[in-house]
Amino acid sequence: MALQSLQITATIAMRARDVSRPAKEQQEAADRRPLRDEMPKRETRRKGQNG
């Protein structure tokens, strides 16, 4: 198998880590967005119920 010869080096691991990090703009946008439990709950209506 081709995967048996695959070796992960420290350099490759660090590159993968850096690529997976969000960009500065993405992180700032996420910091400005309210957390899920800080947002008001949406009213949900079930089928068959009228108000």
Side-chain angles (χ1 to χ4, degrees), residues 14-50:
M14 288 188 288
R15 285 183 186 169
R17 177 201 64 191
D18 293 342
V19 168
S20 66
R21 287 185 179 169
K24 184 178 180 181
E25 297 82 19
Q26 293 171 324
Q27 186 63 47
E28 290 172 353
D31 290 340
R32 287 191 303 269
R33 204 172 357 174
L35 298 175
R36 186 181 308 166
D37 55 345
E38 294 175 344
M39 297 177 68
K41 295 195 186 251
R42 285 189 266 166
E43 290 184 27
T44 58
R45 292 187 179 192
R46 295 182 185 158
K47 286 185 178 181
Q49 292 182 344
N50 293 330

